Amino acid sequence: MQKKNATVHLLILDPDQNDAESLVSLLRNSGKATRAHRITSEEDLEEALKANNWDLLLARDLDQEFNADDALAMIRRLDKDIPFILLTEDDNRERTVAVMKAGAQDTVPFAHTDQLVLTVNRELSALDDRRRRRVLESHLREAEQRCQLLLESSKDAIAYINDGMHIYANQSYMEFLGYDDIDDLICIPVLDTLTPDSQDKYKEFMKAFAEQREDGMTMNCTARRSDDHELNVTMTVSAATYDGEACTQIVLQPEHSDAELEEKLRQISSQDLMTGLFNRQYLMEALAENIAKAGKHNESGALAYIALDNFMNLKTQVGIAGADLLLGDFANLLKEQVDDTLTVARLSDDAFCLMCQPCDEKVMAEHSERIRKAIEDHLFDNNGRTLQFTVSIGIAAITENSPKAEELLARAHTASSDVRKLEGHERGNGVLVYNPAEYESLDENNSVEAILKALDDNRFKLLFQPIINLRGEGEEHYEAFVRMLDKDEEEVSPYDFLPPMGPADTAIKIDRWVILQTIKQLASHRSRGHDTRLFLNVTAETLQDKTFTSWLSVALKAARLPGDSLIFQLREGDANNYMKQAKEFAKAVHELHCKVSIAQFGCALNPFNTLKHIDTDYVKVDGSFTEEIQKNEEAREQVKEMVKTLQTSGKLTIIPLVENASVLATLWQAGVNYIQGYYLQAPVPEMNYDFGDQ
């Protein structure tokens, strides 16, 4: 990690030796001890990256045989966490945007030395933070693993209790007391697991523990199993937390020999029984350790995913028993082809893995190619029948920048699958190295396509968050949010992936999908007796869409939904940028009896000017004010004055991001009409908030 006075290990790509020296002098004069290496070729950079740890790469944007773009591409390909700063000859916004999209941290004109020093300081500080985070994550992972091992595999019977009730117990604890299911035990007070004579003793003991809070306090008592068998035990208690809540840990140990308990311990095997190779569990644990090691010590490694091509057809030909024999022979061939530096494991019926550390993807690719060739040339004997098959091998590097074990394995699996996309390898039989830059970049070239595909694949979902009348009038309001499931099944906002300048039709498609789906859900919800109204966010593109209101009119009529059940919400910035269109939009939706709201209000230089031109019913103050009013009196007075002015002009006010009860008194005094935030409820898939329970 980068310490305060640590030496900066610097790479410089500059054809001029004197200019490179001036960069080193600049950093040294700014107070940084600097050791530098000037890159002279592609081979030179690759060797330097693999041989040493580097803190920074400064690259001149000049014509040369191995240029800055090539160097940046290599850093991305090798998945190295090295800040990259491009030194340009002049300010060029398009070049800056392009190189930062490619993975650079920044661009600085070569002549602006003061700016360069500040940029270097910032990037070194950020790098230091990332390295510290990786070390801390590694320590946390190790602590969690030790805790899990203690809880699940310990010979001791361990449980967590809260208010005298079990909230967690490991397998040994359940077996000790004769329970098969944790759900059965959770319903039982600790007192019920003790004999009557021990119950009073337990109460006094826990009272003493509550007063003294000395971890490790013990008492001898008699436990009663579910089959009414009694055991003399020693109970040890300590303060603990479970799921973030304070609780008490209890450990039960028999007073006599625990040989019987030892025999009941769960033995976890690391070996695949069929092939004799390591199994999936062992591989994933070892992979997690290697990723942590790479983060701590910058020790690179590589993982290879070996998929048997067309295995299902082979299995059909030879049957299940024949397939097992084939896999056994295949495993033996793998063992012959590897040495002690490689870990070999079986993941599933037709998938195996190789792992090596220290190593790099080039060395692993050489190993994999040798294995691929050996398998292609091998004649497998299966009950007198000769068979041949091939493998597709995908390789992923293990570096200090690697993701978690599951995702890294997915990288290697993706590369293995993509072997078939290579020319001449339609049936597999090849080796491919995963390049993060090819798979993980997200820009206007692929984000729009991903959004449209998610729409087609029904990977959009709606969430609803209540907006509560602070005066307790019992109105039912929700704001609708749209979320898209990305490739990792994580929920993201599709608007976040749209390029800043369009295309407009994609934003309009998202808006219309949201509006149409919410209209359907709202109509169904209101049919059950709810007088519910929804806030719907619309983009600047919809403000400019002249066909929107006619489309909306048809949609409302089809759903038999009154217009006043919808409130269309515009961002203040969009309303100011497209003032004329926003004014016409508000007028048009009002004619359909819908309402209009302005969101993110208060960020413009003259926010009330917007309201002079656009007829709005609601105003949602920007969330930054909610944070500030909890910190200083000036912000509280500013919000009170803003709310007063808005209400004088007939606007209903909404304060978002209400995360705790402490801010409610201030908002009440300010006269705010509505509040919204996680203190009330997070966005959820159903409109299920109890507005009567305020």
Side-chain angles (χ1 to χ4, degrees):
M1 286 184 295
Q2 193 74 28
K3 297 180 182 178
K4 184 175 180 181
N5 296 315
T7 300
V8 176
H9 294 83
L10 173 67
L11 288 170
I12 300 176
L13 179 62
D14 192 322
D16 191 308
Q17 176 75 31
N18 292 331
D19 286 346
E21 289 288 354
S22 69
L23 290 173
V24 177
S25 298
L26 176 68
L27 294 187
R28 286 176 176 164
N29 292 338
S30 70
K32 296 188 179 301
T34 305
R35 293 179 59 184
H37 172 74
R38 189 168 74 92
I39 303 162
T40 57
S41 66
E42 178 180 3
E43 294 75 19
D44 181 32
L45 175 58
E46 185 165 4
E47 182 179 347
L49 290 175
K50 293 181 177 179
N52 297 293
N53 300 330
W54 300 97
D55 303 314
L56 185 68
L57 197 159
L58 302 179
R60 291 288 296 277
D61 197 17
L62 299 172
D63 289 333
Q64 45 190 316
E65 184 174 344
F66 180 63
N67 60 32
D69 294 310
D70 297 330
L72 180 56
M74 181 179 292
I75 288 177
R76 290 296 308 279
R77 176 173 62 82
L78 296 178
D79 204 20
K80 291 291 185 180
D81 186 9
I82 302 175
F84 184 102
I85 300 174
L86 183 70
L87 305 180
T88 60
E89 299 309 297
D90 51 32
D91 279 318
N92 185 323
R93 189 188 68 82
E94 293 181 357
R95 177 61 172 152
T96 297
V97 170
V99 76
M100 291 184 72
K101 283 183 177 180
Q105 273 60 47
D106 210 343
T107 64
V108 178
F110 180 73
H112 296 181
T113 54
D114 51 352
Q115 181 183 345
L116 177 58
V117 170
L118 293 173
T119 304
V120 167
N121 289 341
R122 181 193 69 201
E123 293 306 325
L124 290 176
S125 176
L127 177 66
D128 186 28
D129 289 342
R130 291 196 298 275
R131 287 174 174 173
R132 289 180 185 276
R133 187 197 69 222
R134 284 195 286 264
V135 171
L136 292 174
E137 287 175 347
S138 174
H139 291 332
L140 175 61
R141 190 182 305 112
E142 291 169 358
E144 289 174 340
Q145 289 172 347
R146 286 194 297 270
C147 182
Q148 194 66 24
L149 179 63
L150 173 67
L151 293 176
E152 298 298 340
S153 303
S154 173
K155 66 181 181 179
D156 293 328
I158 303 172
Y160 289 130
I161 62 171
N162 191 11
D163 291 334
M165 300 293 290
H166 292 93
I167 59 175
Y168 171 83
N170 69 352
Q171 188 66 32
S172 296
Y173 188 95
M174 289 188 290
E175 291 176 358
F176 192 88
L177 295 180
Y179 291 91
D180 297 324
D181 196 323
I182 183 63
D183 292 333
D184 296 333
L185 189 60
I186 283 178
C187 301
I188 298 175
V190 176
L191 282 174
D192 287 359
T193 66
L194 302 174
T195 61
D197 292 338
S198 294
Q199 290 178 359
D200 290 337
K201 188 176 181 182
Y202 169 80
K203 291 177 184 178
E204 291 298 319
F205 174 69
M206 294 305 293
K207 182 180 179 181
F209 174 70
E211 293 173 353
Q212 300 175 26
R213 305 303 293 177
E214 292 180 8
D215 288 347
M217 292 178 63
T218 62
M219 67 168 279
N220 294 326
C221 57
T222 304
R224 184 173 60 189
R225 288 169 47 91
S226 61
D227 56 7
D228 290 331
H229 182 71
E230 296 180 359
L231 297 170
N232 292 325
V233 299
T234 298
M235 179 185 292
T236 305
V237 295
S238 303
T241 59
Y242 185 74
D243 278 351
E245 298 293 330
C247 62
T248 302
Q249 175 185 281
I250 62 174
V251 181
L252 299 182
Q253 292 176 310
E255 291 182 357
H256 56 76
S257 171
D258 58 357
E260 181 181 351
L261 189 60
E262 288 284 356
E263 293 177 359
K264 294 181 180 180
L265 291 179
R266 185 171 55 185
Q267 299 298 321
I268 301 174
S269 174
S270 64
Q271 192 175 53
D272 176 64
L273 297 179
M274 180 186 297
T275 62
L277 302 176
F278 289 116
N279 60 18
R280 182 188 183 95
Q281 179 178 339
Y282 177 87
L283 176 80
M284 297 309 291
E285 291 174 355
L287 179 57
E289 290 177 5
N290 280 349
I291 292 172
K293 193 186 299 182
K296 277 196 224 174
H297 308 300
N298 201 29
E299 182 182 274
S300 298
L303 179 74
Y305 185 100
I306 305 173
L308 278 63
D309 296 325
N310 210 21
F311 180 72
M312 292 308 296
N313 283 348
L314 281 172
K315 195 171 184 179
T316 302
Q317 294 176 34
V318 302
I320 296 176
D324 289 347
L325 291 173
L326 198 60
L327 289 171
D329 291 342
F330 177 79
N332 290 331
L333 180 59
L334 276 181
K335 293 175 186 176
E336 294 172 2
Q337 294 296 320
V338 301
D339 54 30
D340 294 339
T341 63
L342 286 141
T343 299
V344 190
R346 183 186 179 211
L347 296 182
S348 62
D349 268 0
D350 58 348
F352 294 77
C353 264
L354 299 177
M355 185 169 61
C356 183
Q357 190 164 337
C359 181
D360 60 42
E361 70 275 17
K362 275 194 173 182
V363 173
M364 182 61 85
E366 293 171 0
H367 287 310
S368 299
E369 178 58 31
R370 187 183 69 252
I371 290 170
R372 183 207 63 77
K373 185 70 167 58
I375 293 169
E376 181 185 28
D377 295 342
H378 190 76
L379 301 178
F380 291 89
D381 180 68
N382 194 270
N383 292 325
R385 182 178 180 182
T386 300
L387 295 171
Q388 285 183 281
F389 58 87
T390 59
V391 293
S392 296
I393 305 177
I395 298 169
I398 303 171
T399 71
E400 76 275 14
N401 206 35
S402 289
K404 293 181 179 179
E406 293 79 6
E407 188 176 339
L408 190 68
L409 179 62
R411 287 184 173 187
H413 179 261
T414 298
S416 172
S417 299
D418 285 354
V419 166
R420 292 168 179 80
K421 296 180 182 178
L422 301 176
E423 185 176 351
H425 292 271
E426 291 76 12
R427 296 185 178 182
N429 194 23
V431 177
L432 180 63
V433 177
Y434 181 94
N435 183 352
E438 293 179 2
Y439 290 92
E440 296 166 14
S441 59
L442 185 63
D443 54 34
E444 62 269 23
N445 295 325
N446 60 18
S447 59
V448 172
E449 181 181 346
I451 291 170
L452 295 178
K453 189 174 188 307
L455 271 173
D456 293 338
D457 295 345
N458 197 29
R459 293 170 65 83
F460 274 46
K461 63 184 294 187
L462 291 174
L463 300 176
F464 302 93
Q465 187 175 40
I467 297 177
I468 308 302
N469 191 316
L470 197 55
R471 305 296 150 181
E473 296 177 10
E475 300 171 337
E476 295 190 12
H477 289 85
Y478 290 93
E479 181 172 354
F481 300 93
V482 62
R483 294 293 181 263
M484 179 179 78
L485 296 177
D486 65 11
K487 61 182 178 64
D488 298 319
E489 299 298 319
E490 297 289 335
E491 292 183 3
V492 296
S493 171
Y495 296 111
D496 293 342
F497 294 109
L498 280 175
M501 302 305 293
D505 56 344
T506 304
I508 291 172
K509 283 181 180 179
I510 298 174
D511 283 354
R512 291 199 178 189
W513 184 92
V514 172
I515 293 167
L516 196 58
Q517 296 302 317
T518 51
I519 284 177
K520 291 178 182 178
Q521 291 197 38
L522 182 58
S524 173
H525 188 68
R526 287 172 67 98
S527 70
R528 296 191 288 273
H530 299 276
D531 186 22
T532 304
R533 292 173 171 80
L534 276 181
F535 283 77
L536 300 175
N537 295 285
V538 292
T539 59
E541 288 77 6
T542 291
L543 294 182
Q544 303 170 72
D545 180 11
K546 295 181 179 180
T547 67
F548 174 74
T549 49
S550 59
W551 172 85
L552 176 63
S553 177
V554 172
L556 288 171
K557 289 177 182 176
R560 298 182 179 180
L561 194 67
D564 63 1
S565 62
L566 298 181
I567 303 151
F568 289 97
Q569 192 159 255
L570 331 175
R571 289 187 293 268
E572 182 185 64
D574 291 339
N576 287 327
N577 292 334
Y578 303 96
M579 186 76 75
K580 181 180 178 181
Q581 294 91 332
K583 181 179 180 179
E584 294 173 353
F585 176 89
K587 180 181 178 182
V589 297
H590 275 139
E591 290 176 355
L592 296 176
H593 306 291
C594 300
K595 304 294 185 182
V596 176
S597 173
I598 294 285
Q600 300 176 357
F601 183 81
C603 294
L605 293 176
N606 185 6
F608 288 96
N609 182 61
T610 309
L611 304 182
K612 292 179 182 178
H613 300 280
I614 301 173
D615 184 13
T616 61
D617 306 282
Y618 298 83
V619 173
K620 182 188 287 187
V621 176
D622 188 70
S624 59
F625 289 96
T626 314
E627 300 175 6
E628 291 176 6
I629 60 177
Q630 300 176 72
K631 299 176 181 177
N632 61 76
E633 182 64 31
E634 183 180 346
R636 286 192 284 273
E637 292 302 318
Q638 184 181 2
V639 169
K640 287 180 182 179
E641 186 63 32
M642 183 186 295
V643 170
K644 182 179 179 181
T645 304
L646 288 169
Q647 292 183 338
T648 300
S649 60
K651 312 300 180 186
L652 294 169
T653 53
I654 307 169
I655 297 292
L657 299 183
V658 176
E659 308 297 335
N660 54 66
S662 62
V663 74
L664 293 180
T666 300
L667 299 180
W668 173 270
Q669 294 171 2
V672 170
N673 300 102
Y674 298 91
I675 58 173
Q676 176 184 8
Y678 276 67
Y679 173 69
L680 304 170
Q681 189 184 71
V684 294
E686 303 291 336
M687 290 180 273
N688 58 6
Y689 186 80
D690 185 0
F691 287 88
D693 188 24
Q694 296 181 45

